[in-house]
Amino acid sequence: MHATTIYGKNDVRYEEVPKPELIRGTDAIVKVVAACVCGSDLWRYRGISPVPRPARIGHEFVGVVESVGSEVSRIEVGDFVIAPFYDCDMTCVNCRNGFTTSCLEIGWWGGHDHWGNALPGAQGEYVRVPHADGSLVATPSWPADELVPHLLTLADVFGTGHHAAVSAGVKQGSNVAVVGDGAVGLLGVLAAHRLGAARIVLMSRHEDRQNLGRDFGATDIVAARGDEGIAAVKELFDGIGADAVLECVGTKDSMDQALRVARPGGQVGFVGVPSGGPELPVRQLFDSNVGVRGGMAPVRNYIEELLPEVWSGALKPGRVFDLELPLAEVAEAYAAMDERRAIKVLLRP
Amino acid sequence: MHATTIYGKNDVRYEEVPKPELIRGTDAIVKVVAACVCGSDLWRYRGISPVPRPARIGHEFVGVVESVGSEVSRIEVGDFVIAPFYDCDMTCVNCRNGFTTSCLEIGWWGGHDHWGNALPGAQGEYVRVPHADGSLVATPSWPADELVPHLLTLADVFGTGHHAAVSAGVKQGSNVAVVGDGAVGLLGVLAAHRLGAARIVLMSRHEDRQNLGRDFGATDIVAARGDEGIAAVKELFDGIGADAVLECVGTKDSMDQALRVARPGGQVGFVGVPSGGPELPVRQLFDSNVGVRGGMAPVRNYIEELLPEVWSGALKPGRVFDLELPLAEVAEAYAAMDERRAIKVLLRP
């Protein structure tokens, strides 16, 4: 089969690799129908994170179950399934608490499963899933082709935007600000809208993203950044700031902006992978009573909640995919996202 | 009249000062019935915070209204009143949002009111209250003398312990850990118990405080600190840690301990005044999904909620006062708390 390997900065290759096989009784092999490139994949592509040795890459996919191990009971061969961006058992105390990203038997696509066996990356033709009954969610039936991009967002990016909104405490009537106009930020807008936010300000300087943000439910756009941007957001909300702020970038500057557009007693929900470990200023939090919650999104816990509205077509989160390529052109997919020619690229094996 | 002035390290004096007078129409003058020394007063007494010039000190008091300005309508001369540790209007957007410590017209006892007029410290015979109708809460009638210490805790320390519990998200059935066995930590235990916590672990090495903690509702005591203490708390809670952690100290070590005894997806409520600005490790928060909320407690917003159970005698938060002295002996009060001979000292003018 073919899959994607990252060799180093600006160097991803579509190459022939061994097809994965069932190892444990709880495994499934899934034939990938669609995968995609994540903003976090770009850390290595841009040379910000090291690539000590060539590595399989990709962690978002939907597909069809090709085979299952002897202990799999909930998932069946032929099911169309959505996987989260990690492997989890859904039975341990952390999974039951709603935090599958802290599963006691967690595994990572493109890395290893809980027992140390290699797990193929998802930007490939087949993936092995160690906890098939835990990780995978089967759709009610096979989806129409145009539904596939929307379903694929449940693997990571929509669930992550939703996690930002949930972590920020968005509820009916909330005043919300969203920092970051990438795919996660845009879907944070959609998630906040779905949760009943009264007003949603998207901080964005790009017209195409502003437009999609408005379609997803943003009521206001603030293009200014820094002190000027913060003042503009506060102005919109009684001069004090937003009830809930979604931090969807992960840099020191974006976190600073998020903390400062929150009103006293407000809450920042953060899902941007922290780049370079921006530390949080505890005295500023103390003085303002602004809370901070978030992290790696437990998207598996959200799939059942979000799926019905995606399945029915009421929500169209897959609109963040503004480029679709054959998997064989994965190098171009990375380049397009790196050069900001695309928000997010969908890949079909 | 007499009041307390801090001159520098280990130097507080009971001395003659001018009696405050009404300045604005919204003012009241309150004759202090009881005041006390706060752990945060010790920062200057210990020389950790500077004392650039002699300053009036103290911010917790209950008393009787002696006179009111022409615009005061809710509070009457002769009322027995509880004041929060700051002055607030209760009408601005932040007060209405529940965060009176961010009142747009906030003032500080021992500092200044919103308009720059000096505000007497509360460790004195009389205090001027700029927003009498906002800050002061009158009790249903004059309290019996033995109720006074319990009522006094609503000025700061019980409301602050309650804020830690609220910020940590304590609810019916929560597993709770409390870091800090000072007056705030102990009242954090009481607050968590009141909110329905199933199990409350107090981290304490002092037998008298352990005993009071048990009386307030602690179900378990962990005396170990550092890695050993963290392991002991996790052991009590499924090996993963507590749902809610109350950080009631304010040092880098105590915050580290709090973050590490929280389970994945748990929440730390912090009210310890950050000493030396311990920054929060955002990558650790990201990986664990542990949230952090808290800060300067908006105790004014809590007085009405907590008062009935204190008034009825159902709750006895004033048990944290283990020493009572005449105000004239305020220097001994500071020394006793500094040398940990007392948890918290009540002063009577």
Side-chain angles (χ1 to χ4, degrees), chain B residues 274-302:
Chain B
S275 155
E279 306 291 284
L280 296 177
V282 71
R283 182 78 215 194
Q284 184 182 337
L285 299 180
F286 183 86
D287 290 344
S288 65
N289 268 287
V290 168
V292 176
R293 251 194 99 80
M296 213 182 311
V299 299
R300 174 61 186 85
N301 300 94
Y302 299 137

PDB file of all heavy atoms in Angstrom, chain B residues 274-302:
ATOM      1  N   PRO B 274      -0.770  35.128  44.797  1.00  0.00           N
ATOM      2  CA  PRO B 274       0.456  34.581  44.194  1.00  0.00           C
ATOM      3  C   PRO B 274       1.702  35.285  44.706  1.00  0.00           C
ATOM      4  O   PRO B 274       1.837  36.498  44.568  1.00  0.00           O
ATOM      5  CB  PRO B 274       0.271  34.831  42.692  1.00  0.00           C
ATOM      6  CG  PRO B 274      -1.172  35.143  42.508  1.00  0.00           C
ATOM      7  CD  PRO B 274      -1.644  35.744  43.791  1.00  0.00           C
ATOM      8  N   SER B 275       2.533  34.541  45.335  1.00  0.00           N
ATOM      9  CA  SER B 275       3.762  35.089  45.903  1.00  0.00           C
ATOM     10  C   SER B 275       4.896  34.913  44.902  1.00  0.00           C
ATOM     11  O   SER B 275       5.238  33.797  44.530  1.00  0.00           O
ATOM     12  CB  SER B 275       4.075  34.333  47.202  1.00  0.00           C
ATOM     13  OG  SER B 275       5.432  34.389  47.491  1.00  0.00           O
ATOM     14  N   GLY B 276       5.427  36.004  44.429  1.00  0.00           N
ATOM     15  CA  GLY B 276       6.531  35.921  43.472  1.00  0.00           C
ATOM     16  C   GLY B 276       6.077  35.482  42.096  1.00  0.00           C
ATOM     17  O   GLY B 276       6.899  35.112  41.266  1.00  0.00           O
ATOM     18  N   GLY B 277       4.756  35.540  41.839  1.00  0.00           N
ATOM     19  CA  GLY B 277       4.243  35.255  40.486  1.00  0.00           C
ATOM     20  C   GLY B 277       4.641  33.916  39.915  1.00  0.00           C
ATOM     21  O   GLY B 277       5.351  33.851  38.914  1.00  0.00           O
ATOM     22  N   PRO B 278       4.199  32.800  40.540  1.00  0.00           N
ATOM     23  CA  PRO B 278       4.491  31.514  39.893  1.00  0.00           C
ATOM     24  C   PRO B 278       3.713  31.444  38.590  1.00  0.00           C
ATOM     25  O   PRO B 278       2.496  31.603  38.591  1.00  0.00           O
ATOM     26  CB  PRO B 278       3.957  30.495  40.903  1.00  0.00           C
ATOM     27  CG  PRO B 278       2.901  31.223  41.667  1.00  0.00           C
ATOM     28  CD  PRO B 278       3.311  32.662  41.701  1.00  0.00           C
ATOM     29  N   GLU B 279       4.396  31.242  37.488  1.00  0.00           N
ATOM     30  CA  GLU B 279       3.704  31.159  36.202  1.00  0.00           C
ATOM     31  C   GLU B 279       3.150  29.757  36.033  1.00  0.00           C
ATOM     32  O   GLU B 279       3.688  28.794  36.558  1.00  0.00           O
ATOM     33  CB  GLU B 279       4.669  31.500  35.063  1.00  0.00           C
ATOM     34  CG  GLU B 279       5.357  32.845  35.240  1.00  0.00           C
ATOM     35  CD  GLU B 279       4.410  34.030  35.083  1.00  0.00           C
ATOM     36  OE1 GLU B 279       4.072  34.329  33.943  1.00  0.00           O
ATOM     37  OE2 GLU B 279       4.008  34.633  36.086  1.00  0.00           O
ATOM     38  N   LEU B 280       2.044  29.639  35.309  1.00  0.00           N
ATOM     39  CA  LEU B 280       1.414  28.334  35.132  1.00  0.00           C
ATOM     40  C   LEU B 280       1.977  27.643  33.896  1.00  0.00           C
ATOM     41  O   LEU B 280       2.057  28.246  32.829  1.00  0.00           O
ATOM     42  CB  LEU B 280      -0.091  28.498  34.980  1.00  0.00           C
ATOM     43  CG  LEU B 280      -0.801  29.060  36.203  1.00  0.00           C
ATOM     44  CD1 LEU B 280      -2.288  29.251  35.894  1.00  0.00           C
ATOM     45  CD2 LEU B 280      -0.639  28.124  37.382  1.00  0.00           C
ATOM     46  N   PRO B 281       2.326  26.368  34.031  1.00  0.00           N
ATOM     47  CA  PRO B 281       2.922  25.609  32.915  1.00  0.00           C
ATOM     48  C   PRO B 281       1.860  25.199  31.904  1.00  0.00           C
ATOM     49  O   PRO B 281       1.169  24.209  32.085  1.00  0.00           O
ATOM     50  CB  PRO B 281       3.527  24.388  33.609  1.00  0.00           C
ATOM     51  CG  PRO B 281       2.662  24.190  34.823  1.00  0.00           C
ATOM     52  CD  PRO B 281       2.181  25.553  35.242  1.00  0.00           C
ATOM     53  N   VAL B 282       1.732  25.965  30.835  1.00  0.00           N
ATOM     54  CA  VAL B 282       0.609  25.783  29.916  1.00  0.00           C
ATOM     55  C   VAL B 282       0.667  24.434  29.198  1.00  0.00           C
ATOM     56  O   VAL B 282      -0.364  23.831  28.905  1.00  0.00           O
ATOM     57  CB  VAL B 282       0.506  26.966  28.927  1.00  0.00           C
ATOM     58  CG1 VAL B 282       1.614  26.941  27.925  1.00  0.00           C
ATOM     59  CG2 VAL B 282      -0.850  27.018  28.259  1.00  0.00           C
ATOM     60  N   ARG B 283       1.864  23.930  28.949  1.00  0.00           N
ATOM     61  CA  ARG B 283       1.962  22.626  28.281  1.00  0.00           C
ATOM     62  C   ARG B 283       1.408  21.510  29.175  1.00  0.00           C
ATOM     63  O   ARG B 283       0.720  20.608  28.705  1.00  0.00           O
ATOM     64  CB  ARG B 283       3.418  22.339  27.913  1.00  0.00           C
ATOM     65  CG  ARG B 283       3.647  21.035  27.181  1.00  0.00           C
ATOM     66  CD  ARG B 283       3.272  21.165  25.712  1.00  0.00           C
ATOM     67  NE  ARG B 283       2.692  19.944  25.180  1.00  0.00           N
ATOM     68  CZ  ARG B 283       2.522  19.712  23.875  1.00  0.00           C
ATOM     69  NH1 ARG B 283       2.878  20.607  22.978  1.00  0.00           N
ATOM     70  NH2 ARG B 283       1.976  18.605  23.476  1.00  0.00           N
ATOM     71  N   GLN B 284       1.706  21.624  30.482  1.00  0.00           N
ATOM     72  CA  GLN B 284       1.183  20.641  31.441  1.00  0.00           C
ATOM     73  C   GLN B 284      -0.351  20.713  31.498  1.00  0.00           C
ATOM     74  O   GLN B 284      -1.031  19.686  31.528  1.00  0.00           O
ATOM     75  CB  GLN B 284       1.793  20.937  32.812  1.00  0.00           C
ATOM     76  CG  GLN B 284       1.440  19.947  33.908  1.00  0.00           C
ATOM     77  CD  GLN B 284       2.050  20.364  35.246  1.00  0.00           C
ATOM     78  OE1 GLN B 284       3.046  21.100  35.293  1.00  0.00           O
ATOM     79  NE2 GLN B 284       1.461  19.917  36.334  1.00  0.00           N
ATOM     80  N   LEU B 285      -0.885  21.939  31.480  1.00  0.00           N
ATOM     81  CA  LEU B 285      -2.340  22.104  31.467  1.00  0.00           C
ATOM     82  C   LEU B 285      -2.924  21.516  30.190  1.00  0.00           C
ATOM     83  O   LEU B 285      -3.956  20.841  30.210  1.00  0.00           O
ATOM     84  CB  LEU B 285      -2.714  23.586  31.570  1.00  0.00           C
ATOM     85  CG  LEU B 285      -2.267  24.325  32.831  1.00  0.00           C
ATOM     86  CD1 LEU B 285      -2.717  25.792  32.765  1.00  0.00           C
ATOM     87  CD2 LEU B 285      -2.814  23.669  34.090  1.00  0.00           C
ATOM     88  N   PHE B 286      -2.255  21.772  29.055  1.00  0.00           N
ATOM     89  CA  PHE B 286      -2.725  21.281  27.758  1.00  0.00           C
ATOM     90  C   PHE B 286      -2.789  19.757  27.751  1.00  0.00           C
ATOM     91  O   PHE B 286      -3.767  19.152  27.333  1.00  0.00           O
ATOM     92  CB  PHE B 286      -1.778  21.781  26.659  1.00  0.00           C
ATOM     93  CG  PHE B 286      -2.187  21.393  25.269  1.00  0.00           C
ATOM     94  CD1 PHE B 286      -3.077  22.183  24.554  1.00  0.00           C
ATOM     95  CD2 PHE B 286      -1.686  20.250  24.667  1.00  0.00           C
ATOM     96  CE1 PHE B 286      -3.459  21.830  23.263  1.00  0.00           C
ATOM     97  CE2 PHE B 286      -2.064  19.884  23.384  1.00  0.00           C
ATOM     98  CZ  PHE B 286      -2.950  20.687  22.680  1.00  0.00           C
ATOM     99  N   ASP B 287      -1.712  19.142  28.223  1.00  0.00           N
ATOM    100  CA  ASP B 287      -1.637  17.674  28.170  1.00  0.00           C
ATOM    101  C   ASP B 287      -2.650  17.012  29.100  1.00  0.00           C
ATOM    102  O   ASP B 287      -3.117  15.912  28.825  1.00  0.00           O
ATOM    103  CB  ASP B 287      -0.229  17.206  28.533  1.00  0.00           C
ATOM    104  CG  ASP B 287       0.786  17.558  27.441  1.00  0.00           C
ATOM    105  OD1 ASP B 287       0.363  17.869  26.314  1.00  0.00           O
ATOM    106  OD2 ASP B 287       2.004  17.536  27.725  1.00  0.00           O
ATOM    107  N   SER B 288      -2.969  17.669  30.206  1.00  0.00           N
ATOM    108  CA  SER B 288      -3.831  17.051  31.226  1.00  0.00           C
ATOM    109  C   SER B 288      -5.267  17.558  31.187  1.00  0.00           C
ATOM    110  O   SER B 288      -6.138  16.983  31.846  1.00  0.00           O
ATOM    111  CB  SER B 288      -3.258  17.333  32.613  1.00  0.00           C
ATOM    112  OG  SER B 288      -3.298  18.733  32.876  1.00  0.00           O
ATOM    113  N   ASN B 289      -5.501  18.631  30.425  1.00  0.00           N
ATOM    114  CA  ASN B 289      -6.823  19.263  30.446  1.00  0.00           C
ATOM    115  C   ASN B 289      -7.254  19.693  31.848  1.00  0.00           C
ATOM    116  O   ASN B 289      -8.453  19.772  32.149  1.00  0.00           O
ATOM    117  CB  ASN B 289      -7.888  18.350  29.824  1.00  0.00           C
ATOM    118  CG  ASN B 289      -8.063  18.607  28.330  1.00  0.00           C
ATOM    119  OD1 ASN B 289      -8.632  19.619  27.945  1.00  0.00           O
ATOM    120  ND2 ASN B 289      -7.542  17.711  27.514  1.00  0.00           N
ATOM    121  N   VAL B 290      -6.302  19.948  32.728  1.00  0.00           N
ATOM    122  CA  VAL B 290      -6.635  20.499  34.048  1.00  0.00           C
ATOM    123  C   VAL B 290      -6.872  22.003  33.890  1.00  0.00           C
ATOM    124  O   VAL B 290      -6.044  22.713  33.316  1.00  0.00           O
ATOM    125  CB  VAL B 290      -5.504  20.234  35.065  1.00  0.00           C
ATOM    126  CG1 VAL B 290      -5.708  21.047  36.346  1.00  0.00           C
ATOM    127  CG2 VAL B 290      -5.423  18.748  35.393  1.00  0.00           C
ATOM    128  N   GLY B 291      -8.019  22.481  34.360  1.00  0.00           N
ATOM    129  CA  GLY B 291      -8.347  23.897  34.285  1.00  0.00           C
ATOM    130  C   GLY B 291      -7.924  24.632  35.542  1.00  0.00           C
ATOM    131  O   GLY B 291      -7.771  24.030  36.605  1.00  0.00           O
ATOM    132  N   VAL B 292      -7.738  25.921  35.395  1.00  0.00           N
ATOM    133  CA  VAL B 292      -7.347  26.755  36.529  1.00  0.00           C
ATOM    134  C   VAL B 292      -8.252  27.985  36.553  1.00  0.00           C
ATOM    135  O   VAL B 292      -8.395  28.670  35.536  1.00  0.00           O
ATOM    136  CB  VAL B 292      -5.876  27.205  36.409  1.00  0.00           C
ATOM    137  CG1 VAL B 292      -5.510  28.146  37.551  1.00  0.00           C
ATOM    138  CG2 VAL B 292      -4.945  26.006  36.403  1.00  0.00           C
ATOM    139  N   ARG B 293      -8.876  28.234  37.682  1.00  0.00           N
ATOM    140  CA  ARG B 293      -9.752  29.393  37.853  1.00  0.00           C
ATOM    141  C   ARG B 293      -9.585  29.920  39.261  1.00  0.00           C
ATOM    142  O   ARG B 293      -9.340  29.151  40.179  1.00  0.00           O
ATOM    143  CB  ARG B 293     -11.217  28.972  37.732  1.00  0.00           C
ATOM    144  CG  ARG B 293     -11.924  29.411  36.513  1.00  0.00           C
ATOM    145  CD  ARG B 293     -13.411  29.253  36.640  1.00  0.00           C
ATOM    146  NE  ARG B 293     -13.995  30.536  36.976  1.00  0.00           N
ATOM    147  CZ  ARG B 293     -14.230  31.503  36.104  1.00  0.00           C
ATOM    148  NH1 ARG B 293     -13.963  31.342  34.839  1.00  0.00           N
ATOM    149  NH2 ARG B 293     -14.731  32.654  36.504  1.00  0.00           N
ATOM    150  N   GLY B 294      -9.784  31.202  39.424  1.00  0.00           N
ATOM    151  CA  GLY B 294      -9.767  31.736  40.784  1.00  0.00           C
ATOM    152  C   GLY B 294      -9.181  33.115  40.788  1.00  0.00           C
ATOM    153  O   GLY B 294      -9.094  33.789  39.763  1.00  0.00           O
ATOM    154  N   GLY B 295      -8.769  33.531  41.972  1.00  0.00           N
ATOM    155  CA  GLY B 295      -8.230  34.862  42.120  1.00  0.00           C
ATOM    156  C   GLY B 295      -8.797  35.506  43.360  1.00  0.00           C
ATOM    157  O   GLY B 295      -9.267  34.835  44.286  1.00  0.00           O
ATOM    158  N   MET B 296      -8.749  36.816  43.321  1.00  0.00           N
ATOM    159  CA  MET B 296      -9.230  37.588  44.455  1.00  0.00           C
ATOM    160  C   MET B 296     -10.726  37.308  44.622  1.00  0.00           C
ATOM    161  O   MET B 296     -11.507  37.534  43.698  1.00  0.00           O
ATOM    162  CB  MET B 296      -8.993  39.061  44.159  1.00  0.00           C
ATOM    163  CG  MET B 296      -8.673  39.864  45.394  1.00  0.00           C
ATOM    164  SD  MET B 296      -8.455  41.591  44.979  1.00  0.00           S
ATOM    165  CE  MET B 296      -7.333  41.519  43.608  1.00  0.00           C
ATOM    166  N   ALA B 297     -11.092  36.819  45.781  1.00  0.00           N
ATOM    167  CA  ALA B 297     -12.457  36.310  45.956  1.00  0.00           C
ATOM    168  C   ALA B 297     -13.485  37.445  46.007  1.00  0.00           C
ATOM    169  O   ALA B 297     -13.348  38.360  46.818  1.00  0.00           O
ATOM    170  CB  ALA B 297     -12.543  35.488  47.233  1.00  0.00           C
ATOM    171  N   PRO B 298     -14.511  37.372  45.181  1.00  0.00           N
ATOM    172  CA  PRO B 298     -15.582  38.383  45.231  1.00  0.00           C
ATOM    173  C   PRO B 298     -16.525  38.080  46.394  1.00  0.00           C
ATOM    174  O   PRO B 298     -17.691  37.742  46.193  1.00  0.00           O
ATOM    175  CB  PRO B 298     -16.259  38.226  43.870  1.00  0.00           C
ATOM    176  CG  PRO B 298     -16.044  36.793  43.502  1.00  0.00           C
ATOM    177  CD  PRO B 298     -14.726  36.390  44.108  1.00  0.00           C
ATOM    178  N   VAL B 299     -16.000  38.211  47.616  1.00  0.00           N
ATOM    179  CA  VAL B 299     -16.751  37.739  48.794  1.00  0.00           C
ATOM    180  C   VAL B 299     -18.070  38.491  48.970  1.00  0.00           C
ATOM    181  O   VAL B 299     -19.019  37.938  49.514  1.00  0.00           O
ATOM    182  CB  VAL B 299     -15.906  37.820  50.090  1.00  0.00           C
ATOM    183  CG1 VAL B 299     -14.656  36.942  49.960  1.00  0.00           C
ATOM    184  CG2 VAL B 299     -15.512  39.245  50.424  1.00  0.00           C
ATOM    185  N   ARG B 300     -18.135  39.754  48.525  1.00  0.00           N
ATOM    186  CA  ARG B 300     -19.394  40.487  48.666  1.00  0.00           C
ATOM    187  C   ARG B 300     -20.533  39.741  47.990  1.00  0.00           C
ATOM    188  O   ARG B 300     -21.655  39.696  48.504  1.00  0.00           O
ATOM    189  CB  ARG B 300     -19.248  41.909  48.086  1.00  0.00           C
ATOM    190  CG  ARG B 300     -20.546  42.711  48.049  1.00  0.00           C
ATOM    191  CD  ARG B 300     -21.126  42.923  49.435  1.00  0.00           C
ATOM    192  NE  ARG B 300     -22.439  43.565  49.390  1.00  0.00           N
ATOM    193  CZ  ARG B 300     -23.582  42.909  49.213  1.00  0.00           C
ATOM    194  NH1 ARG B 300     -23.586  41.586  49.043  1.00  0.00           N
ATOM    195  NH2 ARG B 300     -24.730  43.549  49.210  1.00  0.00           N
ATOM    196  N   ASN B 301     -20.226  39.121  46.819  1.00  0.00           N
ATOM    197  CA  ASN B 301     -21.268  38.390  46.095  1.00  0.00           C
ATOM    198  C   ASN B 301     -21.726  37.126  46.820  1.00  0.00           C
ATOM    199  O   ASN B 301     -22.753  36.552  46.464  1.00  0.00           O
ATOM    200  CB  ASN B 301     -20.767  38.000  44.690  1.00  0.00           C
ATOM    201  CG  ASN B 301     -20.386  39.198  43.849  1.00  0.00           C
ATOM    202  OD1 ASN B 301     -19.222  39.585  43.808  1.00  0.00           O
ATOM    203  ND2 ASN B 301     -21.355  39.812  43.207  1.00  0.00           N
ATOM    204  N   TYR B 302     -20.951  36.686  47.815  1.00  0.00           N
ATOM    205  CA  TYR B 302     -21.275  35.433  48.503  1.00  0.00           C
ATOM    206  C   TYR B 302     -21.964  35.639  49.852  1.00  0.00           C
ATOM    207  O   TYR B 302     -22.460  34.686  50.439  1.00  0.00           O
ATOM    208  CB  TYR B 302     -20.003  34.600  48.717  1.00  0.00           C
ATOM    209  CG  TYR B 302     -19.276  34.191  47.449  1.00  0.00           C
ATOM    210  CD1 TYR B 302     -17.885  34.262  47.365  1.00  0.00           C
ATOM    211  CD2 TYR B 302     -19.971  33.707  46.334  1.00  0.00           C
ATOM    212  CE1 TYR B 302     -17.203  33.871  46.218  1.00  0.00           C
ATOM    213  CE2 TYR B 302     -19.293  33.317  45.184  1.00  0.00           C
ATOM    214  CZ  TYR B 302     -17.915  33.405  45.127  1.00  0.00           C
ATOM    215  OH  TYR B 302     -17.244  33.013  43.994  1.00  0.00           O
TER     216      TYR B 302
END
